[in-house]
């Protein structure tokens, strides 16, 4: 029997596929595929969640008032410059929907966050992916691709999946070249992990540039991936309009209360981030010592640019009980986790290197090359 016609783009759109075995399967692998915090939530967070749980017969505050105020205070900005969303991906969706007049284009680097092309396509926005130069944004090439149709530029800083950063001076120069009619979204999902000098938050550019917005999340450094809460900072006039696009009530009371609690526990949470940063150096050095060629990362993950070997390596890790994120034909991203999980990964990665080349990609012929996204 036939079924009703849905938008034809849905036929070709890839579904989001979590890494093998993470949410189903007999035994849970070591979770190094989604850049989550490896730490259990602090007691204060669990208490806030329990308290909010007692109110779930009621709708949440649609304006996220207490959380908006707490974020504004933490960042030293005004409440009317903050929008809260159900994860920063919801705010990314809000952004592309907000600029999706016919013919609108979005410029972003590639490879970068997997959702940029998907959300653009769904909103009817034409993607203009600009290849990275090595592991880093090629800002000059990106500036060259901006035309009167460009309504949005996304800069992922640090870049997921390569971990590279855009320095403040370069960013300032780039922003000066972007027409004021074009929004620039700086996705800072991993900002708290940055230790490179000369790399500061895009927040400092919001002041003089009404077209700049910064996206942050509670999912990574603040350890609330399971609750879905993120925010955007921008010019009050832009923010007022963006608030109309997101669904009211989409950020649960549990998420709002936990995020307020997380801001109150910032010091402890940022200490945990420090632990992850030290662990990042340890894992990075171990891989380099083992002969891997990997770019320096300023995020809570490392990028293994394996090219055609990526899918085989991803399957090898899965077979050894380790979930990593595979970008077929490009590379594998591995999160920095607990010392124990990272040691397990290092052993598995080292074993891969020592296997004879023929054995490294057992089903070369059968390999299903799933291009990341048909942009
Ligand atoms: C993880 C991540 C996000 C955050 O997503 P949430 O919806 O807030 O969980 C946003 N951007 C990038 C680049 C990410 O890697």
């Amino acid at each position: 029997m036939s079924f009703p016609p849905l938008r034809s783009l849905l036929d070709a759109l890839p579904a989001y596929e979590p890494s093998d075995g993470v949410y189903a399967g007999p035994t849970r692998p070591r979770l190094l595929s989604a850049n989550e915090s490896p730490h259990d939530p602090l007691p204060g967070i669990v208490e806030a969640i329990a308290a909010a749980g007692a109110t779930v017969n009621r709708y949440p505050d649609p304006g996220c008032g207490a959380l908006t105020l707490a974020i504004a205070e933490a960042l030293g900005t005004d409440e009317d410059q903050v929008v809260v969303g159900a994860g920063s991906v919801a705010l990314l969706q809000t952004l592309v929907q907000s600029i999706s007049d016919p013919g609108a284009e979005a410029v972003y680097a590639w490879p970068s966050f997997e959702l940029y092309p998907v959300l653009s396509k769904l909103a009817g926005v034409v993607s203009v992916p600009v290849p990275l130069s090595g592991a880093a944004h090629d800002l000059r090439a990106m500036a060259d691709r901006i035309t009167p149709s460009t309504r949005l530029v996304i800069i992922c800083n640090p870049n997921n999946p390569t971990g590279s950063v855009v320095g403040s001076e370069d960013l300032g120069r780039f922003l000066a070249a972007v027409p004021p009619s074009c929004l620039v979204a700086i996705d800072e999902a991993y900002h708290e992990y940055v230790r490179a000098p000369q790399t500061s938050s895009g927040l400092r550019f919001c002041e003089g540039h009404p077209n700049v917005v910064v996206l942050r999340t509670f999912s990574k450094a603040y350890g609330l991936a399971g609750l879905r809460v993120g925010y955007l900072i921008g010019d009050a006039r832009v923010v007022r309009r963006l608030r109309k696009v997101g669904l009211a009530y989409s950020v649960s009371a549990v998420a709002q209360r936990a995020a307020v609690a997380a801001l109150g526990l910032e010091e402890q949470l940022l200490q945990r981030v420090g632990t992850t940063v030290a662990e990042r150096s340890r894992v990075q050095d171990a891989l380099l010592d083992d002969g891997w060629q990997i770019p320096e990362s300023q995020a809570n993950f490392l990028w293994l640019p394996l090219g055609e070997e990526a899918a085989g390596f991803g399957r090898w890790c899965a077979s050894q009980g380790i979930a990593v994120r595979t970008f077929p034909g490009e590379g594998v991203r591995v999160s920095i986790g607990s010392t124990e999980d990272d040691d397990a990964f290092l052993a598995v990665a080292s074993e891969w290197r020592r296997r004879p080349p023929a054995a490294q990609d057992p089903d070369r012929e059968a390999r299903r090359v799933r291009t990341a996204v048909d942009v």
Side-chain angles (χ1 to χ4, degrees):
M1 223 196 299
S2 67
F3 61 97
L6 305 175
R7 292 173 72 194
S8 54
L9 71 84
L10 296 176
D11 298 339
L13 199 71
Y16 183 81
E17 288 182 45
S19 301
D20 287 347
V22 172
Y23 300 104
T27 49
R28 238 189 176 199
R30 296 180 189 271
L31 300 177
L32 299 179
S33 58
N35 304 338
E36 298 145 324
S37 165
H39 304 281
D40 292 338
L42 291 167
I45 302 282
V46 177
E47 283 155 24
I49 290 171
T55 71
V56 296
N57 55 312
R58 301 294 179 188
Y59 280 107
D61 171 4
C64 301
L67 178 55
T68 301
L69 178 63
I71 291 166
E73 280 177 352
L75 298 179
T77 181
D78 287 337
E79 285 167 80
D80 60 3
Q81 292 183 271
V82 181
V83 200
V84 175
S88 52
V89 297
L91 294 163
L92 279 165
Q93 184 163 44
T94 289
L95 278 175
V96 288
Q97 287 177 340
S98 305
I99 55 97
S100 63
D101 288 330
E105 295 181 2
V107 170
Y108 50 80
W110 198 255
S112 192
F113 191 34
E114 294 166 278
L115 275 180
Y116 299 156
V118 175
L119 296 177
S120 299
K121 201 162 233 186
L122 281 171
V125 170
V126 177
S127 281
V128 181
V130 179
L132 295 173
S133 165
H137 277 73
D138 186 344
L139 291 180
R140 198 162 302 172
M142 289 177 75
D144 285 346
R145 301 299 301 276
I146 296 175
T147 71
S149 300
T150 312
R151 301 288 304 279
L152 176 65
V153 175
I154 311 175
I155 294 181
C156 191
N157 195 28
N159 189 47
N160 175 3
T162 56
S164 63
V165 282
V166 172
S168 303
E169 224 172 277
D170 292 343
L171 184 56
R173 214 172 300 127
F174 175 77
L175 293 176
V178 178
S181 57
C182 174
L183 264 178
V184 180
I186 305 174
D187 185 343
E188 297 190 348
Y190 304 98
H191 170 72
E192 295 83 359
Y193 301 94
V194 175
R195 294 295 181 272
Q198 281 100 41
T199 305
S200 61
S201 168
L203 284 178
R204 63 184 269 201
F205 294 106
C206 288
E207 196 72 10
H209 300 80
N211 62 327
V212 173
V213 298
V214 172
L215 292 152
R216 295 270 183 91
T217 179
F218 285 93
S219 296
K220 312 284 162 52
Y222 290 80
L224 301 183
L227 287 179
R228 319 300 309 119
V229 52
Y231 59 93
L232 175 149
I233 308 290
D235 184 271
R237 293 161 296 179
V238 175
V239 161
R240 196 176 321 130
R241 287 161 178 81
L242 293 178
R243 282 181 178 162
K244 298 179 187 174
V245 182
L247 283 176
Y249 303 125
S250 63
V251 185
S252 74
V254 179
Q256 293 182 40
R257 285 280 284 271
V260 171
L263 287 172
L265 296 164
E266 198 161 40
E267 208 172 306
Q268 274 165 279
L269 291 168
L270 293 182
Q271 248 166 33
R272 290 176 158 191
V273 167
T275 309
T276 297
V277 167
E279 178 70 356
R280 171 179 78 202
S281 300
R282 183 184 79 87
V283 177
Q284 194 162 268
D285 289 348
L287 287 171
L288 292 172
D289 285 349
D290 201 28
W292 288 85
Q293 292 191 342
I294 53 170
E296 195 201 316
S297 170
Q298 290 290 316
N300 65 342
F301 52 80
L302 297 173
W303 174 242
L304 282 57
L306 282 150
E308 289 305 310
E309 305 273 81
F313 181 73
R315 277 195 305 275
W316 162 244
C317 290
S319 74
Q320 301 303 301
I322 297 178
V324 294
R325 189 83 188 144
T326 301
F327 295 70
E330 304 194 65
V332 165
R333 187 193 70 204
V334 58
S335 309
I336 300 299
S338 65
T339 308
E340 188 194 324
D341 287 354
D342 295 340
D343 280 342
F345 170 74
L346 287 171
V348 162
S350 183
E351 205 173 325
W352 167 270
R353 280 191 67 80
R354 289 198 309 272
R355 287 181 344 153
Q360 289 188 4
D361 195 0
D363 43 355
R364 206 177 193 105
E365 306 311 318
R367 189 190 311 128
R368 183 173 52 98
V369 178
R370 179 176 67 89
T371 43
V373 181
D374 174 27
V375 283

